[in-house]
Amino acid sequence: MSFSAFDLRCESQVDPLGCDFALPRLSWKLSAEKGERGTCQSAYRIQAGSLPGLADLWDSEKVQSDQSVFIPWGGPKLLSRQRVYWRVKVWDSGDKPSKKWSDDAFFELGLLKPADWRSAKWIGGPLVGGPHTSIPLPRLSRTFTLSKPIASARLYVTALGVYEASLNGQKVGEAELSPGWTSYFSRVRYQTRDVTKLLHEGENALVAELGDGWAVGHIGWRERGTYAERPKLLALLIVAHPDGSETLVRSDNKWQVSYGPRLAADLLMGEHYDARLPWTSLGAASVFPAPELKLDAQNGPEVKVTEILKPVRKPYRHGGSWIFDLGINLVGRIKLTVKGEAGTTIKLRYAEVLEKGPLATDGPIYTTNLRAAVNTDYYTLSGESSGEVFESKFTFHGFRYVELSGFPGEPTEKTIEGLVLHSECDKTGDFECSDPLINQLQKNIDWGWRGNSLDVPTDCPQRDERLGWTGDAQVFCRTSCFLRETGPFWHKWMGDLRDSQGPNGELPPVAPFFSGALPQDGGAAWADAGVIVPWTIYLAYGDQKILTDNYDLMKRFVNFWISTAKENLRCYPGYEKQGWMGFGDWLALDGSGKTDGGTPKELIATAYLAYSAKLFSKIADVLGKNSDARKYQSVFEKTKAAFLKRYVSPEGFIAPMTQTAGVIALHFELIPESLRPKVAEWVVRDIESRGGKTTCGFVGSSYQPHVLTEVGALGAAETLLFQKGWPSYLYAVTMGATTIWERWDGWTPEKGFQDAGMNSFNHYAYGAVGSWLYEKIAGLDTDEAAPGYKKLILRPRILDGLTHARATLQTPYGAAESHWEKKKKALVWKITVPPNTTARVYLPVQGDQKVTESGKSLDKSVGVHSLSENSLELISGTYEFEIK
Ligand code: BGC
C-alpha cells in the first residue's frame, strides 16, 4: 500500500447525506505498509467541488500540518441540499507527496432553513377510539405522476411518533424506528433518503406507516401521550429532472389516510397485527398546525437491524406454549414464519430469563421484572396458503426467550429469528485474553451496550423504563468508546441534554427529560454527565466541538452547583429540605441495605462538585478560555479544602469510610499526596476483609479498578476481577449471563430473584469495567495532552491470573494494538502505533530484566529511551518487545 489518504470521513461518518453542520469537519487516515515505522503526514491539501475531481468550491492548497482529523470546512458557506465532493492529497515526513489523490468522498447538506420545507404540512389521521389513542395505526399515502425522466430524488421525512416510508412498495432506507427519540418539546430530527432508484416515470406511490413511538406511546412509567396525542408525518419529496426542473411532493391534504392490519403498536406494550384486515381509506389526511419545534438533521447513526440470531436449541413445550431460546439477551424483535388457518391468533411474550433462574433450561418465562411493560405481540393469520411472515415494526423488546401461544401445529427452530436492533455505530474495539470467563464478560459488556444504545443511551431495554439515565450514561461512556465509534451518538445525546437543562442550569437525571415524574436536578454523578461525557468524548476522539457545543451547558451547570453549595459543600446537611440529594452510590452492596448505598450523599455530591469544576477548568483551558480555567480551578481547590475539612481526618481516615468514599476521593484527587497511600490501604484492606469483594455501587465501581491500579494495588483489582461470588463482575457470567445485570445479585441460588420492582438483566452500568480491561490490562490509552490517540499511552499491566491479553482499537488514525503474552522464558509484548501518531510506551519490566525489540537490544533506532520510567517515545509502526 503506497502512502496515501483513505477512509475519508465527514464528522466521523462515511458520506453523510442530509447533514446540517455549518462547518463540517473532515478526517482521513494514512495508509502505511504493514509494520512500517514512522509514517506521518507533514502537509495536506483538500480539494472540494460540486463534482468528483473538481475544486470549484474549495482548494486548501498545501497546508503544512500533521492534522488529519477534524479539519473544519474552509470553503464558502454551505447551502441547503448542496452536495460536496472532496478529496485529499498528503505529504509524508520527507515532504514527498502521495502518488495520487485519495478516492472522492462526499457529504450532502439537508434542509437548512424552515422555508426549505416548501410548505410541507404536518399530517395525520383522525383519532379513532377517543383521546390519547390512535388505535389502529394510520397509513398515509399519496400517488403522483412523474412525466419526465429522473436525475435524482431525495425524500426529507420525519414524524412525531415513528414512521416507515416506502416508495412503490419498497422500504425507503434501512433505518428502523425513525426519527428516534429527542425531546420533542423542542426538536425532532428529520432523515434524508436518496430515493432516485425507487422512482420511475409515470405513476408512483409514496406511503408512510405511522406508529406511536416515544412521542405518543408509553415511555418510562408514564401514561401515553407525553408529547403528542397522535402520530403525525412531515414529508417532502424533491425529484430533480435532467432539464433542471423539479417535481415536489409534499405532505398535505392531498394525502389519503387509511387504517388496516396494524391494530396497535407501542414500544413498551407490543404490537397487534391482524393480517386479515386490508388497508381501508378513510379519506383525506388531516392537516395540523406545525408543532413549535426545531427540525434538525439526523447527523448521526440510525437504528438498524445489525444482526439476526437463530434459536440455539429446539423450542420446548411449556403448558400450551412453546418457548424459544435465542441464546443472547438481545434487544429488537422477532421474525415469525408460520402457516395456518385464517383467523388463528399467535401470542408472543418475551423474557430475559426463565422463572427457575438464569441457569434453567425449562419451565415458564420470567416476566415479573418487566413491571408494567406488557411486551406482548399478537399476530392473526391471513391464512395465506404459501405461509406468512410477521415482523413487528413499531415496538422493541429486551429478551432472550420468546414464548409462543396459539401456534398452529409444531414449530421448528426456523419458526423464529431474533432481529437485533440498535444505533449502528462501527465496531472499533476488541479485547481478548486467556480467561474464558473474562472474554465472556467482555462480550456481555458489548451486548449490554448494543441493547442500550437504541438512539438514546438507556438504563435498560425491557421494563417500563428505558430512559436516558444520565448517571448510567456517564459511567459507561468511556467503555462505549472502546467498543464502537460512538462520537456522533454522544453528540446527539448531548443535544438531548441541552434540551433538558433547567432554567437554573440544573441537569436532569434522564435525557430526554420530561417533567413531572423526576426532579429537574439529577443530583451528584447523574447531572455531572453534562461535563463528564463531553470530556470523555474529547479524550477518546480528540473532538473539541463537543466541548464548544456544550460549553454554555457545562458552565451553567457548574454554576448551579456552586450556587446551591454552602461553604463549598454540595448537599450540605439541611439541603434536603431545599432540593434533591441525588441517587447516592446506587445499588451498592455495602451493608447499608439501602438502594442508594451507605456512602453519604453530601460526601458524594461535594466530591463531584470538585470533580466537575476541575474538568470544566481543563475544558476551559483546552478552549483557551483562561480566566474560566483559573476560576474553576479555584472552585476545585476550595471544594477540595472543604471536603478535606469535613470528611478526612489528618491521619487520612475518611468518615464515614466506605470503598466508594475512598475510591472517589482518590480518583478525583481530593486527598493530599501524603495521605493517598493511607486511603488506598484502607480500601484494599476492606476488600480483603470481605473475602476479596467490592461494596461499590454504580458510582464507586466505575472507578474502583482504575484507582486500585493507579495507587499500586493492582493485586486488589485483580482479586476483584477474578472474584466469582457476588458482588463481582464474573458472578453473573458464571450464572450464564450474556449481558450485564443491573444488580450484583440479580439472581442468586440462595435468594432467587432480587426485587422484581427493579431487576433488569441488561443494564450496562457495571460494564464500565470494560474500559479498565482495554486501558489498564491491555494498556491502550490516549495522552490527555494529545487526545484522540494522536499520542498513545501504552502501558499494560501483567496480571498473575492471565497468560495473555490483547486489545485492538480502531483509533481516528487507524488500528492500534497491544498484545502481551507470557512465553516460557520471556514476556512478549507486541504493539501497533497507528500512522501519524506517536506513543509513550511503558515497558512492563521487573527488577533487572532485559528488553529486546525484534531481537535487537534497545537503542536509538527503537525510539527514545527514558531510563527513569522504563519508558520509550515511539514513532508509528509495529514493535515486538521481549522482556526477560
Ligand atoms: C435506573 C437506573 C438509574 C436509577 C437512578 C433506575 O430505575 O434503572 O439505572 O440510574 O434508577 O435511581
Side-chain angles (χ1 to χ4, degrees), residues 459 463 465 469 472 526 583 586 698 742 758 763:
D459 58 335
R463 67 183 180 218
E465 192 150 352
W469 285 97
D472 308 43
W526 269 249
F583 297 99
W586 194 240
F698 280 21
E742 174 173 26
M758 216 182 64
H763 232 75

Side-chain angles (χ1 to χ4, degrees), residues 293-309:
L293 35 79
K294 221 172 133 243
L295 288 164
D296 278 353
Q298 174 72 26
N299 284 354
E302 293 190 73
V303 174
K304 293 195 180 154
V305 174
T306 60
E307 193 172 336
I308 298 181
L309 299 178

